[in-house]
Amino acid sequence: MHAIKIYDLHRINAMNFRGITIVSFVLTLIQITVSCSGNDSLEKALRIAGDNHTEMLEAILYFEGDKEKSEAVEWLIGNMPGNHTLGGHALKSYQGYYHLFSKTGKEAIPRIDSLVKDEGFSVRALTKYEDLRHMKTQYLLHDINLAFKMRDNLPWCADIKKDNFFRYVLPYRIGDEELSCWRDSVLFAFSPVIDSLVAAGVDDPLVAAQAIMEHWNRKEFRWTGQLPSGPALGYANVTDKAGTCREFAHGVVYLMRAAGIPSGIDMVPVRGENSAGHSWPFIIGKDGRTYVTCTENPSFVPAPEFDIVAAKIYREEFGINDSMDTELPSETSMRPKFLRIPKLTDVTAVYKPSGSHDIELPDIEGGGTVYLASWGNNEWVAVGFHTGSSRPVFHNVSQGVVLVAARMEDNVLSPICLPFVVEEGGVIRKIGPGGTEGMLTAYSKFPLNERNGELVYRSIDGVIEGSDEPSFSVRDTVFRISGLAKRRVNYVTLPAQSRPHRYYRYYGAEGSNCNIAEIGLYADTSDSLPLRGRVFGTPGAVDGDTAHDYRKVFDGDIFTSFDYKEKSGGWAALDLGYPVSVGKVMFVPRNRDNYVREGDEYELFWFGSCRWNSAGRKRATADSVDFQTPQGTLYYLKNHTRGRSERIFEYDFEKREQKFW
């Protein structure tokens, strides 16, 4: 597979003008130019193309007499504005980082960090090549012909609606990647799978898509967020299979579109329970419904069954949404980043058919653009907008997410109301400070659950066992971790007169990789020093990382941890030398350091008067920190010493519990 340098002439197929003379060719171009005046988007695109507009007209001329392909090429050209490649010498280095990581995984990170530093890679070093100004006719014709060939020859493409074909099969690019003959490459690599499906008479795109995915998933997708950000990688997403949700989604879309299956990418600017955005691939089935897959679940599921928490969900499109573009401020600096070139349609209702509502904010005066915003990483992130003189109305807003209305001021979203949550039935619950203050005790600054990438949950159902045999062939359960640990360091008093044992071990729960940070065993409840002995256990750690082997469980350091190489069956043990009764157990779950950390400096913020207010700064003297603050509002805890992951929460002053959003 070779990349097409769209700023050079690269002939894919010889043009066949069917005996048209130069004079008649010129006259035909003039005729096409005049006829385009009735198509506003096409006429606009040709104006943008400048000197390259003859390449576009040449493509239109080529399909003269073929009504369907003529309509297709005009649709593509009319929707080209906003589509471009980011290219240049630095692109090869950037692509190389992902290729290196795909080969060696985490071991590549130090090497990549060094390369980025030495090469000084920055996306600003790349040059934008707009498709309309640089694309050559031959590339466009080749890609269109191949898209139609697949549609016309594969049995599962027989019932594709024209609109779905144009929007989700026909586009020659997904993002700002370097253009390539990706359809040829996919069809060559996956021809055995596609041929077998055709031979079997498969006529359901969902069945075909699942079979192609199963073949692709034989190679692991290496997920990482540690590589530098930059343009889309193109067909390399099919072969390298490394990166974030974006790279995974692009790889799937290349596969599906090459096989004639309507496919694309849905996204959220920010999730409702996490500070990051997210994107994932979808296909459109024979029944017209949207089906979704992701790195966590390789099977396609109906969109309403996809577990995504977000106020608004959008579908990425090839062309700009003109109605959305017209409603937004004309000055792009007054638009949030994801709306600056709005190649999007709202599909919230597709995912939340019974859990999304139209909401009106009667307390806010209309005028100008009002944005609907959800909390991101220490800032409000726009997820929707309303423009007009009337009071703001936002359509298809998903329930269960904290939101504010905001206006753009100096390129920053400034809230103009109290935070609120859309609850069942579309009821709006405002979150604002009451008239009293209370003592808030915080144990963490970020949700400690699996869906946010935390590891704390992996300690649940882990057990401490005692035995008189080093093989633990006969053993007693001394203690079982029964729930999510609220704090970093946890002490548990055991029943009196527990049976003495020489050997004790921590045995990890099923599927947990025996993740635990520290175990401490104490002979008496009043002891402050844990028992010591010879440490042994199941050898090996994920990726062969000796910094996460079984010895870390009893090393006295609560910031190291065990990450066993297998999902289940791992354990770490202590040989005390003679039988000892244990009266107290200390355990620290493996975690991402989002618990309050003794010695770090924290600041608590509470929301009131349309802004965040400080409740003060203090240094933690334990694994919790206390603040006197107004009750009943929204809070977030900032660690000024380290880390970036911080999340908003409400607080139950009676139960003394944080409820993270």
Side-chain angles (χ1 to χ4, degrees), residues 257-287:
R257 288 184 178 177
I261 300 170
S263 177
I265 296 171
D266 288 341
M267 58 81 70
V268 295
V270 66
R271 287 183 280 192
E273 87 293 23
N274 191 298
S275 297
H278 189 35
S279 60
W280 59 92
F282 71 87
I283 65 167
I284 297 176
K286 196 172 186 178
D287 54 6

Side-chain angles (χ1 to χ4, degrees), residues 58 87 90 100 121 127 144 147 180 186 200 310 384 388 419 486 490 500 515 543 630 654:
E58 191 176 308
L100 181 58
F121 173 78
T127 303
I144 291 172
S180 66
V186 171
K486 181 178 179 180
N490 303 269
N515 279 182
D543 292 332
E654 291 185 3

Side-chain angles (χ1 to χ4, degrees), residues 310-313 346-350 352-353 355-359 372 394-399:
K312 299 292 294 178
I313 305 171
D346 187 341
V347 291
T348 310
V350 173
K352 311 289 182 181
S356 59
H357 311 275
D358 294 346
I359 61 169
L372 187 69
F394 300 99
H395 299 287
N396 295 323
V397 179
S398 181
Q399 62 194 37

Side-chain angles (χ1 to χ4, degrees), residues 287-308:
D287 54 6
R289 299 171 67 195
T290 294
Y291 294 85
V292 179
T293 186
C294 60
T295 54
E296 298 83 9
N297 180 15
S299 298
F300 284 95
V301 299
E305 296 178 17
F306 183 58
D307 186 17
I308 181 71

